[in-house]
Amino acid sequence: METMNRPRLQVMVKGKTYKVLEVVGLPGMVMPHHHSTGEAVVMVKKGEALLKMCDGEHKLGKDSVFIIPAKKEHTLTVLKEFKAVVTMPVNAEIQFI
């Protein structure tokens, strides 16, 4: 059986318009190349991660907020024990590449 070394992603709540997901990871975990079909707002609650996009790298730390445009390919590498909430349209999907 393959071991997954990527952060856990789980839906916390869904409304009529938006859904909120929780992302939790340990140092060294990587969310591979992916994009969301809708714009995503990332709010970091704990730790640090490196968000890599085609136009550069963005270090995300506790209390930071970052908007990822729809269909913008990216990866996320956890640097310090990480917890974030992500808000996106309820019909948006995360697609791994």
Side-chain angles (χ1 to χ4, degrees):
M1 179 178 268
E2 182 182 335
T3 303
M4 300 297 279
N5 190 31
R6 61 172 73 168
R8 178 177 54 87
L9 185 64
Q10 142 180 346
V11 176
M12 295 173 63
V13 65
K14 276 187 183 181
K16 290 181 181 181
T17 307
Y18 298 100
K19 62 184 170 187
V20 179
L21 299 92
E22 180 179 59
V23 180
V24 178
L26 298 173
M29 289 183 161
V30 176
M31 189 75 71
H33 286 288
H34 65 284
H35 71 264
S36 171
T37 58
E39 188 172 70
V41 180
V42 180
M43 295 167 279
V44 180
K45 298 298 182 185
K46 176 182 181 179
E48 289 182 358
L50 186 62
L51 179 70
K52 293 182 183 178
M53 303 169 78
C54 63
D55 59 353
E57 297 181 352
H58 309 275
K59 194 169 188 179
L60 306 179
K62 185 179 183 304
D63 297 328
S64 65
V65 178
F66 193 87
I67 297 174
I68 302 173
K71 299 187 179 184
K72 183 91 170 198
E73 187 178 326
H74 58 282
T75 63
L76 182 81
T77 302
V78 177
L79 303 174
K80 292 183 181 176
E81 190 173 344
F82 187 75
K83 182 184 273 188
V85 293
V86 179
T87 303
M88 62 178 60
V90 73
N91 61 350
E93 296 179 6
I94 295 174
Q95 299 178 338
F96 290 94
I97 299 163

Short mmCIF file of all heavy atoms in Angstrom, two decimals, residues 3-71:
data_model
loop_
_atom_site.label_atom_id
_atom_site.label_comp_id
_atom_site.label_asym_id
_atom_site.label_seq_id
_atom_site.Cartn_x
_atom_site.Cartn_y
_atom_site.Cartn_z
N THR A 3 2.15 4.92 0.81
CA THR A 3 2.04 5.87 1.92
C THR A 3 1.92 7.27 1.36
O THR A 3 2.68 7.67 0.49
CB THR A 3 3.30 5.79 2.81
OG1 THR A 3 3.45 4.45 3.27
CG2 THR A 3 3.18 6.72 3.99
N MET A 4 0.95 8.01 1.86
CA MET A 4 0.73 9.37 1.39
C MET A 4 1.53 10.34 2.27
O MET A 4 1.39 10.30 3.48
CB MET A 4 -0.75 9.73 1.45
CG MET A 4 -1.62 8.82 0.60
SD MET A 4 -1.23 8.92 -1.14
CE MET A 4 -2.10 10.38 -1.56
N ASN A 5 2.34 11.15 1.64
CA ASN A 5 3.10 12.15 2.38
C ASN A 5 2.60 13.53 1.99
O ASN A 5 3.36 14.40 1.61
CB ASN A 5 4.60 12.01 2.10
CG ASN A 5 5.41 12.87 3.03
OD1 ASN A 5 5.03 13.11 4.18
ND2 ASN A 5 6.53 13.35 2.55
N ARG A 6 1.27 13.70 2.04
CA ARG A 6 0.70 14.99 1.71
C ARG A 6 -0.22 15.43 2.85
O ARG A 6 -0.76 14.60 3.59
CB ARG A 6 -0.04 14.96 0.39
CG ARG A 6 -1.20 14.00 0.31
CD ARG A 6 -2.01 14.16 -0.95
NE ARG A 6 -1.32 13.63 -2.11
CZ ARG A 6 -1.89 13.44 -3.28
NH1 ARG A 6 -3.17 13.71 -3.45
NH2 ARG A 6 -1.22 12.97 -4.29
N PRO A 7 -0.41 16.73 2.99
CA PRO A 7 -1.30 17.24 4.03
C PRO A 7 -2.72 16.68 3.90
O PRO A 7 -3.17 16.36 2.79
CB PRO A 7 -1.29 18.75 3.81
CG PRO A 7 -0.02 19.02 3.08
CD PRO A 7 0.21 17.80 2.21
N ARG A 8 -3.39 16.56 5.04
CA ARG A 8 -4.78 16.10 5.06
C ARG A 8 -5.67 17.27 4.67
O ARG A 8 -5.51 18.38 5.15
CB ARG A 8 -5.14 15.60 6.45
CG ARG A 8 -6.58 15.14 6.59
CD ARG A 8 -6.88 14.59 7.98
NE ARG A 8 -6.53 15.48 9.06
CZ ARG A 8 -7.32 16.42 9.55
NH1 ARG A 8 -8.51 16.62 9.04
NH2 ARG A 8 -6.93 17.18 10.55
N LEU A 9 -6.62 17.00 3.81
CA LEU A 9 -7.56 18.01 3.32
C LEU A 9 -8.96 17.47 3.57
O LEU A 9 -9.29 16.39 3.11
CB LEU A 9 -7.31 18.22 1.83
CG LEU A 9 -8.07 19.30 1.09
CD1 LEU A 9 -7.72 20.68 1.63
CD2 LEU A 9 -7.74 19.23 -0.38
N GLN A 10 -9.77 18.24 4.32
CA GLN A 10 -11.10 17.76 4.66
C GLN A 10 -12.10 18.91 4.70
O GLN A 10 -11.78 20.00 5.16
CB GLN A 10 -10.99 17.02 5.99
CG GLN A 10 -12.06 17.14 6.95
CD GLN A 10 -11.77 16.33 8.22
OE1 GLN A 10 -10.89 15.49 8.29
NE2 GLN A 10 -12.52 16.61 9.23
N VAL A 11 -13.30 18.64 4.20
CA VAL A 11 -14.37 19.65 4.22
C VAL A 11 -14.87 19.81 5.65
O VAL A 11 -15.24 18.82 6.30
CB VAL A 11 -15.52 19.25 3.28
CG1 VAL A 11 -16.66 20.25 3.38
CG2 VAL A 11 -15.03 19.15 1.84
N MET A 12 -14.87 21.04 6.15
CA MET A 12 -15.37 21.33 7.50
C MET A 12 -16.87 21.63 7.48
O MET A 12 -17.61 21.18 8.33
CB MET A 12 -14.61 22.52 8.10
CG MET A 12 -13.15 22.28 8.34
SD MET A 12 -12.26 23.78 8.85
CE MET A 12 -13.05 24.16 10.40
N VAL A 13 -17.27 22.46 6.50
CA VAL A 13 -18.67 22.88 6.41
C VAL A 13 -18.97 23.31 4.97
O VAL A 13 -18.09 23.79 4.27
CB VAL A 13 -18.97 24.03 7.41
CG1 VAL A 13 -18.19 25.28 7.08
CG2 VAL A 13 -20.44 24.31 7.52
N LYS A 14 -20.21 23.07 4.54
CA LYS A 14 -20.66 23.50 3.22
C LYS A 14 -21.92 24.34 3.38
O LYS A 14 -22.82 23.97 4.14
CB LYS A 14 -21.04 22.30 2.35
CG LYS A 14 -19.92 21.65 1.63
CD LYS A 14 -20.47 20.60 0.68
CE LYS A 14 -19.35 19.86 0.00
NZ LYS A 14 -19.88 18.87 -0.94
N GLY A 15 -21.95 25.44 2.66
CA GLY A 15 -23.15 26.27 2.61
C GLY A 15 -23.74 26.20 1.22
O GLY A 15 -23.36 25.35 0.41
N LYS A 16 -24.63 27.13 0.92
CA LYS A 16 -25.23 27.17 -0.42
C LYS A 16 -24.27 27.77 -1.45
O LYS A 16 -24.33 27.43 -2.62
CB LYS A 16 -26.52 27.99 -0.39
CG LYS A 16 -27.63 27.30 0.36
CD LYS A 16 -28.89 28.11 0.33
CE LYS A 16 -29.97 27.38 1.13
NZ LYS A 16 -31.22 28.12 1.13
N THR A 17 -23.38 28.66 -0.99
CA THR A 17 -22.48 29.36 -1.91
C THR A 17 -21.01 28.97 -1.73
O THR A 17 -20.28 28.88 -2.71
CB THR A 17 -22.61 30.88 -1.70
OG1 THR A 17 -24.00 31.23 -1.81
CG2 THR A 17 -21.83 31.65 -2.74
N TYR A 18 -20.59 28.73 -0.49
CA TYR A 18 -19.18 28.45 -0.20
C TYR A 18 -19.02 27.18 0.62
O TYR A 18 -19.95 26.72 1.28
CB TYR A 18 -18.55 29.61 0.59
CG TYR A 18 -18.54 30.89 -0.16
CD1 TYR A 18 -19.49 31.87 0.10
CD2 TYR A 18 -17.60 31.13 -1.15
CE1 TYR A 18 -19.51 33.06 -0.62
CE2 TYR A 18 -17.61 32.32 -1.87
CZ TYR A 18 -18.56 33.28 -1.60
OH TYR A 18 -18.57 34.44 -2.30
N LYS A 19 -17.79 26.64 0.56
CA LYS A 19 -17.41 25.55 1.45
C LYS A 19 -16.08 25.93 2.10
O LYS A 19 -15.30 26.71 1.53
CB LYS A 19 -17.30 24.22 0.73
CG LYS A 19 -16.26 24.16 -0.37
CD LYS A 19 -16.32 22.81 -1.07
CE LYS A 19 -15.47 22.80 -2.33
NZ LYS A 19 -15.66 21.57 -3.10
N VAL A 20 -15.84 25.38 3.29
CA VAL A 20 -14.62 25.64 4.02
C VAL A 20 -13.92 24.30 4.25
O VAL A 20 -14.53 23.36 4.75
CB VAL A 20 -14.90 26.35 5.36
CG1 VAL A 20 -13.61 26.59 6.13
CG2 VAL A 20 -15.63 27.66 5.13
N LEU A 21 -12.65 24.25 3.87
CA LEU A 21 -11.85 23.04 4.05
C LEU A 21 -10.75 23.30 5.07
O LEU A 21 -10.29 24.44 5.20
CB LEU A 21 -11.19 22.62 2.73
CG LEU A 21 -12.14 22.29 1.58
CD1 LEU A 21 -12.39 23.52 0.74
CD2 LEU A 21 -11.56 21.20 0.75
N GLU A 22 -10.33 22.26 5.76
CA GLU A 22 -9.20 22.36 6.68
C GLU A 22 -8.03 21.62 6.04
O GLU A 22 -8.19 20.52 5.53
CB GLU A 22 -9.55 21.74 8.02
CG GLU A 22 -8.41 21.81 9.01
CD GLU A 22 -8.77 21.21 10.35
OE1 GLU A 22 -9.12 20.00 10.39
OE2 GLU A 22 -8.71 21.93 11.35
N VAL A 23 -6.85 22.24 6.11
CA VAL A 23 -5.62 21.63 5.61
C VAL A 23 -4.69 21.49 6.81
O VAL A 23 -4.41 22.48 7.50
CB VAL A 23 -4.94 22.52 4.54
CG1 VAL A 23 -3.66 21.87 4.04
CG2 VAL A 23 -5.89 22.81 3.39
N VAL A 24 -4.22 20.27 7.07
CA VAL A 24 -3.34 20.00 8.20
C VAL A 24 -2.16 19.18 7.70
O VAL A 24 -2.35 18.18 6.98
CB VAL A 24 -4.08 19.21 9.31
CG1 VAL A 24 -3.14 18.88 10.46
CG2 VAL A 24 -5.28 20.00 9.81
N GLY A 25 -0.94 19.60 8.07
CA GLY A 25 0.24 18.85 7.62
C GLY A 25 1.41 18.99 8.55
O GLY A 25 1.48 19.90 9.38
N LEU A 26 2.35 18.06 8.40
CA LEU A 26 3.60 18.05 9.17
C LEU A 26 4.75 18.48 8.28
O LEU A 26 4.66 18.38 7.05
CB LEU A 26 3.85 16.64 9.71
CG LEU A 26 2.79 16.11 10.68
CD1 LEU A 26 3.06 14.64 11.00
CD2 LEU A 26 2.73 16.94 11.94
N PRO A 27 5.85 18.95 8.87
CA PRO A 27 7.00 19.39 8.07
C PRO A 27 7.43 18.32 7.06
O PRO A 27 7.48 17.13 7.38
CB PRO A 27 8.09 19.63 9.12
CG PRO A 27 7.33 19.98 10.36
CD PRO A 27 6.10 19.11 10.31
N GLY A 28 7.68 18.78 5.84
CA GLY A 28 8.13 17.90 4.77
C GLY A 28 7.00 17.37 3.90
O GLY A 28 7.26 16.89 2.79
N MET A 29 5.77 17.47 4.36
CA MET A 29 4.65 17.02 3.54
C MET A 29 4.46 17.98 2.37
O MET A 29 4.67 19.18 2.51
CB MET A 29 3.35 16.94 4.35
CG MET A 29 3.33 15.82 5.32
SD MET A 29 1.72 15.77 6.17
CE MET A 29 1.75 14.10 6.78
N VAL A 30 4.04 17.43 1.22
CA VAL A 30 3.86 18.25 0.02
C VAL A 30 2.51 17.94 -0.61
O VAL A 30 2.15 16.78 -0.81
CB VAL A 30 4.97 17.95 -1.02
CG1 VAL A 30 4.74 18.73 -2.31
CG2 VAL A 30 6.34 18.26 -0.45
N MET A 31 1.77 19.00 -0.93
CA MET A 31 0.55 18.87 -1.73
C MET A 31 1.02 19.04 -3.17
O MET A 31 1.49 20.12 -3.55
CB MET A 31 -0.44 19.97 -1.34
CG MET A 31 -1.81 19.82 -1.96
SD MET A 31 -2.83 18.56 -1.22
CE MET A 31 -3.23 19.27 0.36
N PRO A 32 0.96 17.97 -3.99
CA PRO A 32 1.52 18.04 -5.34
C PRO A 32 0.77 19.03 -6.24
O PRO A 32 -0.27 19.56 -5.85
CB PRO A 32 1.38 16.60 -5.85
CG PRO A 32 0.34 15.98 -5.00
CD PRO A 32 0.34 16.69 -3.68
N HIS A 33 1.31 19.22 -7.45
CA HIS A 33 0.73 20.17 -8.41
C HIS A 33 -0.78 19.96 -8.52
O HIS A 33 -1.25 18.85 -8.75
CB HIS A 33 1.35 20.01 -9.80
CG HIS A 33 2.73 20.56 -9.90
ND1 HIS A 33 2.99 21.90 -9.89
CD2 HIS A 33 3.92 19.94 -9.99
CE1 HIS A 33 4.29 22.09 -9.98
NE2 HIS A 33 4.88 20.92 -10.03
N HIS A 34 -1.50 21.05 -8.35
CA HIS A 34 -2.95 21.01 -8.45
C HIS A 34 -3.48 22.42 -8.70
O HIS A 34 -2.73 23.40 -8.65
CB HIS A 34 -3.58 20.43 -7.17
CG HIS A 34 -3.35 21.26 -5.95
ND1 HIS A 34 -2.14 21.30 -5.28
CD2 HIS A 34 -4.18 22.09 -5.27
CE1 HIS A 34 -2.23 22.11 -4.25
NE2 HIS A 34 -3.46 22.62 -4.21
N HIS A 35 -4.76 22.52 -8.96
CA HIS A 35 -5.44 23.81 -9.02
C HIS A 35 -6.88 23.60 -8.58
O HIS A 35 -7.37 22.47 -8.50
CB HIS A 35 -5.38 24.44 -10.42
CG HIS A 35 -6.21 23.75 -11.43
ND1 HIS A 35 -5.71 22.80 -12.28
CD2 HIS A 35 -7.53 23.85 -11.75
CE1 HIS A 35 -6.67 22.36 -13.07
NE2 HIS A 35 -7.80 22.98 -12.76
N SER A 36 -7.53 24.69 -8.26
CA SER A 36 -8.95 24.66 -7.92
C SER A 36 -9.71 25.28 -9.08
O SER A 36 -9.24 26.23 -9.70
CB SER A 36 -9.21 25.47 -6.64
OG SER A 36 -10.61 25.60 -6.43
N THR A 37 -10.89 24.75 -9.35
CA THR A 37 -11.69 25.30 -10.43
C THR A 37 -12.33 26.63 -10.04
O THR A 37 -12.89 27.32 -10.88
CB THR A 37 -12.78 24.30 -10.87
OG1 THR A 37 -13.60 23.97 -9.74
CG2 THR A 37 -12.15 23.03 -11.44
N GLY A 38 -12.23 27.00 -8.76
CA GLY A 38 -12.73 28.29 -8.28
C GLY A 38 -11.67 28.98 -7.44
O GLY A 38 -10.73 28.35 -6.95
N GLU A 39 -11.78 30.28 -7.29
CA GLU A 39 -10.85 31.05 -6.46
C GLU A 39 -10.86 30.50 -5.03
O GLU A 39 -11.91 30.11 -4.52
CB GLU A 39 -11.29 32.52 -6.47
CG GLU A 39 -10.32 33.45 -5.81
CD GLU A 39 -10.74 34.90 -6.03
OE1 GLU A 39 -11.75 35.31 -5.44
OE2 GLU A 39 -10.06 35.59 -6.80
N ALA A 40 -9.69 30.46 -4.39
CA ALA A 40 -9.58 29.92 -3.04
C ALA A 40 -8.89 30.93 -2.13
O ALA A 40 -7.88 31.53 -2.49
CB ALA A 40 -8.79 28.62 -3.04
N VAL A 41 -9.46 31.13 -0.93
CA VAL A 41 -8.87 32.01 0.07
C VAL A 41 -8.27 31.13 1.16
O VAL A 41 -8.99 30.35 1.80
CB VAL A 41 -9.92 32.96 0.68
CG1 VAL A 41 -9.29 33.87 1.72
CG2 VAL A 41 -10.60 33.78 -0.42
N VAL A 42 -6.95 31.24 1.37
CA VAL A 42 -6.24 30.44 2.36
C VAL A 42 -5.96 31.31 3.57
O VAL A 42 -5.34 32.37 3.45
CB VAL A 42 -4.90 29.91 1.78
CG1 VAL A 42 -4.16 29.08 2.80
CG2 VAL A 42 -5.14 29.14 0.50
N MET A 43 -6.39 30.85 4.76
CA MET A 43 -6.15 31.56 6.01
C MET A 43 -5.37 30.63 6.94
O MET A 43 -5.88 29.58 7.33
CB MET A 43 -7.47 31.97 6.65
CG MET A 43 -8.23 32.99 5.80
SD MET A 43 -9.94 33.23 6.33
CE MET A 43 -10.73 31.82 5.57
N VAL A 44 -4.12 31.00 7.23
CA VAL A 44 -3.23 30.14 8.01
C VAL A 44 -3.48 30.36 9.50
O VAL A 44 -3.44 31.49 9.99
CB VAL A 44 -1.76 30.40 7.66
CG1 VAL A 44 -0.85 29.49 8.47
CG2 VAL A 44 -1.53 30.21 6.17
N LYS A 45 -3.72 29.27 10.21
CA LYS A 45 -3.98 29.30 11.65
C LYS A 45 -2.76 28.91 12.46
O LYS A 45 -2.62 29.32 13.61
CB LYS A 45 -5.15 28.36 12.01
CG LYS A 45 -6.45 28.75 11.34
CD LYS A 45 -6.87 30.11 11.80
CE LYS A 45 -8.19 30.55 11.21
NZ LYS A 45 -8.51 31.91 11.59
N LYS A 46 -1.87 28.11 11.87
CA LYS A 46 -0.71 27.60 12.61
C LYS A 46 0.37 27.20 11.62
O LYS A 46 0.09 26.69 10.55
CB LYS A 46 -1.14 26.38 13.42
CG LYS A 46 -0.06 25.67 14.17
CD LYS A 46 -0.63 24.46 14.89
CE LYS A 46 0.44 23.73 15.68
NZ LYS A 46 -0.11 22.57 16.39
N GLY A 47 1.63 27.44 11.99
CA GLY A 47 2.77 26.94 11.23
C GLY A 47 3.17 27.76 10.03
O GLY A 47 2.81 28.94 9.91
N GLU A 48 3.91 27.10 9.14
CA GLU A 48 4.41 27.76 7.92
C GLU A 48 4.41 26.78 6.76
O GLU A 48 4.62 25.58 6.95
CB GLU A 48 5.86 28.25 8.11
CG GLU A 48 6.01 29.41 9.03
CD GLU A 48 7.47 29.87 9.14
OE1 GLU A 48 8.36 29.25 8.52
OE2 GLU A 48 7.69 30.85 9.84
N ALA A 49 4.20 27.31 5.57
CA ALA A 49 4.27 26.52 4.35
C ALA A 49 4.76 27.41 3.21
O ALA A 49 4.66 28.64 3.27
CB ALA A 49 2.91 25.92 4.01
N LEU A 50 5.27 26.77 2.19
CA LEU A 50 5.74 27.47 1.00
C LEU A 50 4.80 27.14 -0.15
O LEU A 50 4.63 25.97 -0.51
CB LEU A 50 7.17 27.05 0.66
CG LEU A 50 7.83 27.80 -0.48
CD1 LEU A 50 7.98 29.29 -0.14
CD2 LEU A 50 9.19 27.20 -0.78
N LEU A 51 4.16 28.17 -0.68
CA LEU A 51 3.25 28.04 -1.80
C LEU A 51 4.03 28.40 -3.06
O LEU A 51 4.52 29.53 -3.18
CB LEU A 51 2.06 28.97 -1.61
CG LEU A 51 1.01 29.00 -2.72
CD1 LEU A 51 0.24 27.68 -2.73
CD2 LEU A 51 0.06 30.16 -2.52
N LYS A 52 4.18 27.45 -3.98
CA LYS A 52 4.91 27.69 -5.22
C LYS A 52 3.93 27.79 -6.37
O LYS A 52 3.12 26.89 -6.58
CB LYS A 52 5.92 26.58 -5.49
CG LYS A 52 7.04 26.52 -4.50
CD LYS A 52 8.02 25.42 -4.87
CE LYS A 52 9.12 25.30 -3.83
NZ LYS A 52 10.05 24.21 -4.17
N MET A 53 4.04 28.90 -7.12
CA MET A 53 3.21 29.14 -8.30
C MET A 53 4.14 29.51 -9.44
O MET A 53 5.31 29.83 -9.21
CB MET A 53 2.21 30.26 -8.00
CG MET A 53 1.33 29.94 -6.79
SD MET A 53 0.36 31.34 -6.21
CE MET A 53 -0.94 31.33 -7.40
N CYS A 54 3.63 29.54 -10.66
CA CYS A 54 4.48 29.84 -11.82
C CYS A 54 5.10 31.23 -11.74
O CYS A 54 6.15 31.47 -12.31
CB CYS A 54 3.69 29.66 -13.11
SG CYS A 54 2.30 30.79 -13.29
N ASP A 55 4.47 32.14 -11.00
CA ASP A 55 4.98 33.51 -10.92
C ASP A 55 5.81 33.77 -9.67
O ASP A 55 6.15 34.90 -9.37
CB ASP A 55 3.84 34.52 -11.01
CG ASP A 55 2.79 34.34 -9.92
OD1 ASP A 55 2.87 33.35 -9.16
OD2 ASP A 55 1.89 35.18 -9.83
N GLY A 56 6.13 32.71 -8.90
CA GLY A 56 6.98 32.89 -7.74
C GLY A 56 6.56 32.05 -6.55
O GLY A 56 5.65 31.23 -6.63
N GLU A 57 7.27 32.28 -5.45
CA GLU A 57 7.02 31.55 -4.22
C GLU A 57 6.48 32.51 -3.16
O GLU A 57 6.88 33.67 -3.11
CB GLU A 57 8.31 30.91 -3.71
CG GLU A 57 8.88 29.88 -4.65
CD GLU A 57 10.15 29.24 -4.14
OE1 GLU A 57 10.70 29.69 -3.10
OE2 GLU A 57 10.61 28.28 -4.76
N HIS A 58 5.59 31.98 -2.33
CA HIS A 58 4.98 32.78 -1.28
C HIS A 58 5.05 32.00 0.03
O HIS A 58 4.53 30.89 0.11
CB HIS A 58 3.51 33.09 -1.62
CG HIS A 58 3.34 33.66 -2.99
ND1 HIS A 58 3.49 35.00 -3.25
CD2 HIS A 58 3.07 33.07 -4.18
CE1 HIS A 58 3.29 35.21 -4.54
NE2 HIS A 58 3.04 34.06 -5.12
N LYS A 59 5.71 32.58 1.03
CA LYS A 59 5.79 31.94 2.34
C LYS A 59 4.53 32.30 3.12
O LYS A 59 4.22 33.48 3.30
CB LYS A 59 7.04 32.38 3.08
CG LYS A 59 7.36 31.51 4.27
CD LYS A 59 8.75 31.83 4.80
CE LYS A 59 9.15 30.86 5.86
NZ LYS A 59 10.49 31.15 6.35
N LEU A 60 3.81 31.28 3.55
CA LEU A 60 2.58 31.48 4.31
C LEU A 60 2.86 31.16 5.77
O LEU A 60 3.35 30.08 6.09
CB LEU A 60 1.47 30.57 3.78
CG LEU A 60 1.16 30.66 2.29
CD1 LEU A 60 0.05 29.68 1.94
CD2 LEU A 60 0.77 32.08 1.91
N GLY A 61 2.55 32.09 6.66
CA GLY A 61 2.76 31.89 8.10
C GLY A 61 1.50 32.18 8.87
O GLY A 61 0.49 32.64 8.31
N LYS A 62 1.54 31.89 10.17
CA LYS A 62 0.39 32.08 11.05
C LYS A 62 -0.25 33.46 10.84
O LYS A 62 0.45 34.46 10.76
CB LYS A 62 0.82 31.92 12.51
CG LYS A 62 -0.33 31.98 13.48
CD LYS A 62 0.16 31.78 14.90
CE LYS A 62 -0.95 31.77 15.92
NZ LYS A 62 -1.81 32.90 15.94
N ASP A 63 -1.55 33.46 10.71
CA ASP A 63 -2.38 34.65 10.53
C ASP A 63 -2.28 35.28 9.14
O ASP A 63 -2.88 36.32 8.90
CB ASP A 63 -2.09 35.72 11.60
CG ASP A 63 -2.43 35.23 13.00
OD1 ASP A 63 -3.38 34.43 13.14
OD2 ASP A 63 -1.75 35.63 13.96
N SER A 64 -1.54 34.66 8.22
CA SER A 64 -1.51 35.21 6.87
C SER A 64 -2.73 34.74 6.08
O SER A 64 -3.32 33.71 6.37
CB SER A 64 -0.21 34.85 6.14
OG SER A 64 -0.12 33.46 5.92
N VAL A 65 -3.11 35.55 5.10
CA VAL A 65 -4.24 35.25 4.22
C VAL A 65 -3.74 35.43 2.79
O VAL A 65 -3.05 36.39 2.48
CB VAL A 65 -5.43 36.20 4.49
CG1 VAL A 65 -6.57 35.92 3.54
CG2 VAL A 65 -5.88 36.10 5.94
N PHE A 66 -4.09 34.46 1.92
CA PHE A 66 -3.63 34.51 0.54
C PHE A 66 -4.76 34.06 -0.37
O PHE A 66 -5.44 33.08 -0.07
CB PHE A 66 -2.41 33.60 0.36
CG PHE A 66 -1.68 33.80 -0.93
CD1 PHE A 66 -0.70 34.77 -1.04
CD2 PHE A 66 -1.98 33.04 -2.04
CE1 PHE A 66 -0.03 34.97 -2.23
CE2 PHE A 66 -1.33 33.22 -3.24
CZ PHE A 66 -0.35 34.19 -3.34
N ILE A 67 -4.95 34.76 -1.48
CA ILE A 67 -5.97 34.38 -2.46
C ILE A 67 -5.28 33.71 -3.64
O ILE A 67 -4.38 34.29 -4.26
CB ILE A 67 -6.78 35.59 -2.93
CG1 ILE A 67 -7.54 36.21 -1.75
CG2 ILE A 67 -7.75 35.18 -4.04
CD1 ILE A 67 -8.26 37.50 -2.07
N ILE A 68 -5.72 32.49 -3.94
CA ILE A 68 -5.19 31.76 -5.09
C ILE A 68 -6.25 31.83 -6.20
O ILE A 68 -7.38 31.37 -6.01
CB ILE A 68 -4.91 30.28 -4.73
CG1 ILE A 68 -3.91 30.21 -3.57
CG2 ILE A 68 -4.38 29.53 -5.96
CD1 ILE A 68 -3.70 28.81 -3.03
N PRO A 69 -5.89 32.42 -7.33
CA PRO A 69 -6.86 32.53 -8.43
C PRO A 69 -7.32 31.16 -8.94
O PRO A 69 -6.58 30.18 -8.85
CB PRO A 69 -6.07 33.27 -9.52
CG PRO A 69 -4.96 33.95 -8.81
CD PRO A 69 -4.61 33.05 -7.66
N ALA A 70 -8.51 31.12 -9.46
CA ALA A 70 -9.04 29.88 -10.05
C ALA A 70 -8.10 29.38 -11.15
O ALA A 70 -7.53 30.18 -11.90
CB ALA A 70 -10.43 30.14 -10.63
N LYS A 71 -7.92 28.09 -11.20
CA LYS A 71 -7.15 27.39 -12.23
C LYS A 71 -5.67 27.75 -12.24
O LYS A 71 -4.97 27.48 -13.21
CB LYS A 71 -7.78 27.57 -13.60
CG LYS A 71 -9.19 27.00 -13.63
CD LYS A 71 -9.78 27.00 -15.00
CE LYS A 71 -11.18 26.39 -14.91
NZ LYS A 71 -11.82 26.25 -16.17
#
